[in-house]
Amino acid sequence: MLQGHGDDGYLHGKTLQADFSTNVYHGGAPEGLREHLFTQWDKVTRYPEVIAESLSRKVAAHYDLSPDHILVTNGSTESIYLIAQAFKNKRTAIIIPAFAEYEDACRMHGHEITFIAWEDFEEKISVQGAGQIGGSGADGFLENTDLLFICNPNNPTGKVILNLEELIIKFPQTLFVVDEAFIEFTLAVTSVTDQVPKYNNVLVMRSMTKAYAIPGLRLGYIVAAPFLINKLKSEKLPWTVNAMALEAGHFIFDRLESLKLPLEQLLQHKADFVKKLEASPLKIYPGHTHFFLAETQWQNGAMLKSFLLDKFNILIRDAGNFRGLSEKHIRIATLTPLKNQLLIDALTEWKHI
């Protein structure tokens, strides 16, 4: 899907007052990163490392793994398409609603795709227990699935699944592709990267563009068993991680402890924001991240997006193109309290037009 994502303000030719459409951290890139990159400018005159080997080593050391467990990528989107290509023609399930690139990448590479609604997935786990899922009693849940794509925390809902390890154990024939692009934005679930050394059927995608606010640099990585990483490397194009992205990755991993998000404050701002939105013409869905799903009570998300852009230079994410959602759904990210109030005030006017 080349168009239809958030952060598409450049298409509209407007100077935005507030951009609620992207779930990138609103606080900006880490302090000192811009200045550091300026000092590294001469590196753009030479080819970068073929597969970002030096950053792979640094990422691996952080997780106490060997570099063979890590593949640095040009953001999570490259990771998704690379996985779909390396495992082409497989039977793949996608938990929806979900980032459209899972489906697009799998269709491009001949996967036989099935979709599992998040609520159905949750119900099978909570009602039966992961240890009891499987066989004819559970409609063969995942037993004929080669790959499972799950975004945890979920985009666009912000919901989480807590007991993935039980499923990973229960279905060793299924490769669990876990997208943790938003793991830094929740206190409700922890990463499954610690399960990589224990199981050969878990592959974790991580993004460095969301929490560190560098989406224009495109940077992410995959954590998986060495044989899976080797399979991905066999399909990977060289030099996809440019010199500036590579330097940004080193800068961040050298300072991880000091660059943690003010998450408790961010989530408190989200709770305050949601509370004030109760009087708006939106239905707000519960979630565990700084962004959340909402539904318009009249007209649709595209109309609301246009209204906010035209009248207030405010951008939201029309979520009508997420499989499993409707044209009334939108996604909103939490910004500063001052900017959040801009949307609250604008929605009051939307309510009365």
Side-chain angles (χ1 to χ4, degrees):
M1 183 173 65
L2 295 178
Q3 304 291 351
H5 297 293
D7 200 17
D8 63 351
Y10 73 96
L11 295 173
H12 307 288
K14 289 179 172 290
T15 300
L16 297 175
Q17 279 203 87
D19 185 357
F20 296 91
S21 75
T22 173
N23 32 32
V24 171
Y25 173 51
H26 67 75
E31 184 178 354
L33 176 59
R34 179 172 60 176
E35 292 76 13
H36 173 72
L37 293 181
F38 286 162
T39 70
Q40 304 298 310
W41 179 253
D42 286 349
K43 292 187 177 178
V44 304
T45 65
R46 303 192 61 170
Y47 282 94
E49 297 170 14
V50 175
I51 52 172
E53 295 92 331
S54 64
L55 185 54
S56 293
R57 291 192 292 272
K58 193 164 287 184
V59 174
H62 171 72
Y63 290 107
D64 197 23
L65 296 170
S66 73
D68 294 338
H69 288 87
I70 307 295
L71 183 60
V72 178
T73 62
N74 182 254
S76 291
T77 299
E78 186 195 8
S79 300
I80 293 165
Y81 279 84
L82 189 58
I83 292 163
Q85 180 180 359
F87 297 94
K88 55 183 175 288
N89 303 320
K90 295 296 186 180
R91 297 168 299 184
T92 297
I94 301 172
I95 310 298
I96 59 171
F99 190 42
E101 303 301 340
Y102 307 151
E103 179 180 351
D104 290 352
C106 289
R107 290 201 185 282
M108 183 181 291
H109 294 288
H111 291 237
E112 179 185 326
I113 305 172
T114 58
F115 300 99
I116 304 173
W118 183 278
E119 291 77 12
D120 293 342
F121 188 73
E122 240 177 0
E123 183 180 3
K124 285 182 182 294
I125 296 172
S126 62
V127 172
Q128 299 178 337
Q132 302 301 315
I133 293 174
S136 58
D139 302 320
F141 182 69
L142 295 187
E143 289 191 342
N144 295 314
T145 301
D146 299 316
L147 272 75
L148 174 74
F149 278 87
I150 179 168
C151 189
N152 197 34
N154 178 261
N155 175 28
T157 67
K159 291 184 176 182
V160 300
I161 293 292
L162 296 175
N163 48 355
L164 277 178
E165 185 172 11
E166 292 183 56
L167 291 174
I168 291 166
I169 295 169
K170 179 68 178 179
F171 299 100
Q173 82 289 347
T174 299
L175 177 60
F176 287 77
V177 180
V178 185
D179 185 348
E180 292 187 346
F182 305 102
I183 196 73
E184 292 92 349
F185 293 97
T186 187
L187 295 170
V189 68
T190 56
S191 174
V192 294
T193 49
D194 63 342
Q195 296 171 28
V196 167
K198 297 191 287 184
Y199 310 112
N200 287 328
N201 64 322
V202 57
L203 182 157
V204 185
M205 297 188 291
R206 295 295 295 264
S207 170
M208 295 184 67
T209 65
K210 309 296 191 302
Y212 304 108
I214 53 170
L217 282 177
R218 313 305 309 134
L219 187 63
Y221 56 93
I222 296 170
V223 187
F227 81 95
L228 293 172
I229 295 295
N230 286 336
K231 188 173 181 66
L232 296 173
K233 285 180 179 178
S234 71
E235 304 284 351
K236 193 180 189 304
L237 295 175
W239 306 306
T240 63
V241 179
N242 70 65
M244 292 295 98
L246 182 58
E247 285 301 323
H250 280 292
F251 182 94
I252 290 167
F253 266 91
D254 285 342
R255 298 161 177 80
L256 275 181
E257 285 305 309
S258 64
L259 296 181
K260 288 183 178 179
L261 291 176
L263 185 54
E264 291 187 3
Q265 180 188 63
L266 184 58
L267 293 178
Q268 183 58 57
H269 287 169
K270 182 263 185 92
D272 296 341
F273 189 22
V274 167
K275 180 70 174 175
K276 291 181 179 180
L277 286 171
E278 288 178 356
S280 77
L282 298 179
K283 174 184 177 182
I284 308 298
Y285 290 86
H288 298 91
T289 56
H290 74 302
F291 61 87
F292 51 94
L293 191 66
E295 185 177 358
T296 63
Q297 299 299 290
W298 68 293
Q299 296 189 358
N300 59 47
M303 292 175 178
L304 177 54
K305 178 180 176 180
S306 294
F307 170 81
L308 293 171
L309 261 175
D310 293 343
K311 189 144 190 176
F312 297 98
N313 291 334
I314 290 173
L315 186 62
I316 60 169
R317 171 68 154 95
D318 175 7
N321 59 358
F322 281 93
R323 183 181 286 275
L325 299 183
S326 76
E327 63 179 10
K328 289 182 173 292
H329 285 97
I330 61 172
R331 190 191 66 204
I332 300 171
T334 301
L335 302 182
T336 64
L338 185 62
K339 289 190 174 181
N340 295 341
Q341 190 62 47
L342 292 176
L343 181 57
I344 293 164
D345 294 342
L347 286 169
T348 299
E349 190 159 335
W350 161 259
K351 183 177 179 179
H352 294 104
I353 62 172

